């Protein structure tokens, strides 16, 4: 089971509020916001097709935002993946409510323009109560009852103004977008407006989820994340780390043995790996740090945490300048990543290590081309880049990249 990041129910709301602004930009949240913003291009399709497609995209946006609310209310610290399971009744009820609000706003714009601003203010005030009621009650009739709105608002007090302010900001964003869309090229204005709207929707729903999470006992809720974390042994890991920290000053060997026994059983969290490396450093186990680095990098790559694996690689290179991953797939992925991050020195080190260790691997032409490109950035290393491309071209005549190798060699020859 992957590690579950659990939000602390005791964290002060101002702290959760500050962290909340980055919530839509983390992990699956950022990927989803970008994807939804780009999908809004379907609105450019002709006539009713584009309008209908836009409605479906907005439905998907509110569906994801609603899932974020439920996810946060259940104690999860990170945004959910798109396919995460949630309460269909609550989530689709939230989608229906927000589509209805959009329909009212469209009617006001077309037939009663003077009512648009009062509508926006009214919806901003009552929507958080409706949204949160649906989340913890799952009852549409109750959620749209004005008496229930008063109950919800009273339960949250002044904190209720936070999602209200964000809803007002979202409404203002929509109004501004209707103006700026005419001033900017539509191909640029559409995704910018869509991303801003999606970001604000996810932020508002996340903060409402935070408010529910911190008052879950008042609403008869039992957050799911802590229970799953306990089943996965995360509480045991925290207890083990405390035991290791207490034991380490007196007996580093025994503390190290505790961590070794734990990490042999299942995937360990970062905190345990860092504690293990600290103990190895204290004991001067240079080779142990390198062996652990290999194991941890492979685990991080498998978990999709390539950037953290790159950090482990840099630490190991500080111990042994010739260190490279012991698996060609890991080495190639980190070489590509470091090149994308403009870390030329480490990327070139990985490429050279790969070419020396696995000269006949199927990825060798790709890594060789990457190394040649990096070498060509330095005028003093262009000749080395040319020799490398010549070697690749002759050694891999049947490889799918053979033509591209020749093209890169020709471009390099034309460069002064």
């Amino acid at each position: 089971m992957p590690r579950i990041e659990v939000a602390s129910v005791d964290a002060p709301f101002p702290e959760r509020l500050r962290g909340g602004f980055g919530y839509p930009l983390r992990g699956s949240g950022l990927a989803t916001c970008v994807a939804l913003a780009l999908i809004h291009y379907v609105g450019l399709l002709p006539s009713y097709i584009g309008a209908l497609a836009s409605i479906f995209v907005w439905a998907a946006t509110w569906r994801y935002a609603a899932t974020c609310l439920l996810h946060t209310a259940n104690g999860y610290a990170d945004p959910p993946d798109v396919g995460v399971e949630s309460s269909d009744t609550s989530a689709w009820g939230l989608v229906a409510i927000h589509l209805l609000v959009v329909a009212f706003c469209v009617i006001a714009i077309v037939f009663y323009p003077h009512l648009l601003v009062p509508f926006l203010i009214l919806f901003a005030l009552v929507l958080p109560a409706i949204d949160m009621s649906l989340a913890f009650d799952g009852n549409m009739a109750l959620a749209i009852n004005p008496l229930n709105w008063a109950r919800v608002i009273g339960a949250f007090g002044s904190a209720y103004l936070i999602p209200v302010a964000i809803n007002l900001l979202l409404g203002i964003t929509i109004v501004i977008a209707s103006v700026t869309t005419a001033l900017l090229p539509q191909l640029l204005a559409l995704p910018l407006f869509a991303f801003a709207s999606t970001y604000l929707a996810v932020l508002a729903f996340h903060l409402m989820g935070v408010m529910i999470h911190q008052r879950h006992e008042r609403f008869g809720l039992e957050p799911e994340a802590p229970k799953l974390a306990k089943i996965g042994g995360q509480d045991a890991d925290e207890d083990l780390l405390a035991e290791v920290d207490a034991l380490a000053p007196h007996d580093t060997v025994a503390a190290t043995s505790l961590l070794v026994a734990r990490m042999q059983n299942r995937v360990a969290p970062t905190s345990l790996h860092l504690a293990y490396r600290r103990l190895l450093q204290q004991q001067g186990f240079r080779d142990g740090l390198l062996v652990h680095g290999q194991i941890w990098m492979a685990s991080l790559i498998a978990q999709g945490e390539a950037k953290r694996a790159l950090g482990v690689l840099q630490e190991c290179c500080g111990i042994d300048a010739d260190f490279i991953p012991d698996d060609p797939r890991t080495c190639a992925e980190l070489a590509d990543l470091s090149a994308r991050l403009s870390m030329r020195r480490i990327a070139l080190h990985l490429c050279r290590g790969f070419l020396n260790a696995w000269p006949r691997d199927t990825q060798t032409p790709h890594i060789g081309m990457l190394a040649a490109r990096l070498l060509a950035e330095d005028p003093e290393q262009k000749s080395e880049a040319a020799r490398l491309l010549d070697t690749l071209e002759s050694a891999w005549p049947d490889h799918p990249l053979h033509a591209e190798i020749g093209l890169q060699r020709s471009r390099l020859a034309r460069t002064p």
Side-chain angles (χ1 to χ4, degrees):
M1 177 187 292
R3 180 174 176 80
I4 297 171
E5 296 300 329
V6 181
S8 172
V9 72
D10 298 320
F13 185 76
E15 179 183 323
R16 297 287 298 274
L17 175 61
R18 288 192 298 271
F21 287 98
Y23 179 86
L25 306 178
R26 295 204 306 264
S28 299
L30 177 59
T32 304
C33 286
V34 171
L36 287 170
L38 294 176
I39 293 172
H40 272 273
Y41 276 123
V42 298
L44 299 178
L45 293 173
S47 188
Y48 296 107
I49 298 175
L52 184 61
S54 291
I55 290 174
F56 280 112
V57 177
W58 278 112
T61 300
W62 293 119
R63 178 73 169 82
Y64 181 71
T67 304
C68 288
L69 188 158
L70 298 169
H71 207 63
T72 304
N74 273 298
Y76 293 95
D78 292 330
D81 294 329
V82 174
V84 72
E85 292 294 328
S86 63
S87 169
D88 282 339
T89 301
S90 298
W92 283 113
L94 289 165
V95 171
I97 287 290
H98 283 267
L99 287 178
L100 184 62
V101 168
V102 171
F104 272 115
C105 289
V106 170
I107 292 171
I109 291 171
V110 175
F111 299 105
Y112 309 102
H114 61 284
L115 292 180
L116 177 61
V117 173
F119 270 170
L120 288 176
I121 295 174
L122 174 64
F123 291 140
L125 288 171
V126 302
L127 270 177
I130 296 173
D131 294 337
M132 288 187 282
S133 178
L134 270 173
F136 51 71
D137 292 322
N139 186 320
M140 178 68 80
L142 181 63
I144 61 176
N145 186 334
L147 294 177
N148 186 59
W149 302 346
R151 178 181 72 88
V152 174
I153 294 171
F156 291 107
S158 59
Y160 182 81
L161 295 176
I162 301 293
V164 169
I166 295 176
N167 274 347
L168 281 171
L169 183 58
L170 182 57
I172 293 169
T173 300
I174 294 172
V175 173
I176 292 174
S178 65
V179 177
T180 56
T181 303
L183 301 176
L184 294 173
Q186 194 171 24
L187 290 176
L188 176 62
L190 185 64
L192 288 178
F193 158 64
F195 182 85
S197 300
T198 305
Y199 169 87
L200 289 172
V202 172
L203 173 61
F205 276 63
H206 165 64
L207 292 178
M208 287 187 284
V210 169
M211 293 161 61
I212 295 171
H213 179 228
Q214 293 188 324
R215 297 164 177 81
H216 64 273
E217 293 178 349
R218 189 179 306 177
F219 298 106
L221 297 177
E222 187 175 356
E224 177 184 67
K227 293 191 293 183
L228 291 180
K230 186 173 183 180
I231 293 172
Q234 288 181 206
D235 286 350
D237 286 340
E238 292 172 4
D239 293 341
L240 175 62
L241 188 58
E243 184 180 355
V244 168
D245 288 341
L247 184 60
H250 314 290
D251 192 343
T252 54
V253 175
T256 304
S257 298
L258 288 176
L259 290 173
V260 169
R262 161 63 184 86
M263 291 189 290
Q264 286 177 339
N265 291 331
R266 62 184 186 278
V267 175
T270 297
S271 57
L272 294 188
H273 282 285
L274 292 175
Y276 181 65
R277 293 187 73 79
R278 283 196 300 271
L279 290 173
L280 292 179
Q281 289 168 350
Q282 291 172 16
Q283 297 170 82
F285 290 163
R286 176 180 177 276
D287 291 342
L289 284 166
L290 297 178
V291 171
H292 174 261
Q294 297 284 15
I295 297 170
W296 194 17
M297 280 191 302
S299 175
L300 288 169
I301 291 292
Q303 297 173 56
E305 297 189 54
K307 286 188 178 180
R308 188 182 292 276
L310 189 57
V312 176
L313 172 76
Q314 290 177 291
E315 183 183 334
C316 291
C317 287
I319 300 171
D320 179 359
D322 295 327
F323 178 89
I324 63 166
D326 57 6
D327 177 72
R329 305 283 84 76
T330 300
C331 190
E333 183 167 345
L334 292 181
D336 283 326
L337 175 61
S338 54
R340 290 197 303 272
L341 296 176
S342 300
M343 301 169 67
R344 180 180 180 274
R345 184 188 61 79
I346 194 71
L348 196 52
H349 166 74
L350 288 167
C351 288
R352 283 171 166 160
F354 185 102
L355 295 174
N356 288 330
W358 302 286
R360 299 306 301 171
D361 190 272
T362 54
Q363 284 190 282
T364 295
H366 167 72
I367 296 299
M369 291 177 64
L370 175 59
R373 178 172 63 79
L374 295 168
L375 288 167
E377 293 175 0
D378 184 348
E380 296 182 358
Q381 294 181 309
K382 280 189 175 181
S383 58
E384 183 181 349
R387 289 194 300 273
L388 175 56
L389 290 171
D390 288 340
T391 300
L392 291 172
E393 193 172 16
S394 61
W396 297 87
D398 300 321
H399 195 276
L401 291 177
H402 183 264
E404 195 171 337
I405 293 170
L407 183 60
Q408 185 173 341
R409 179 68 180 90
S410 301
R411 284 198 299 263
L412 181 62
R414 292 195 299 269
T415 305

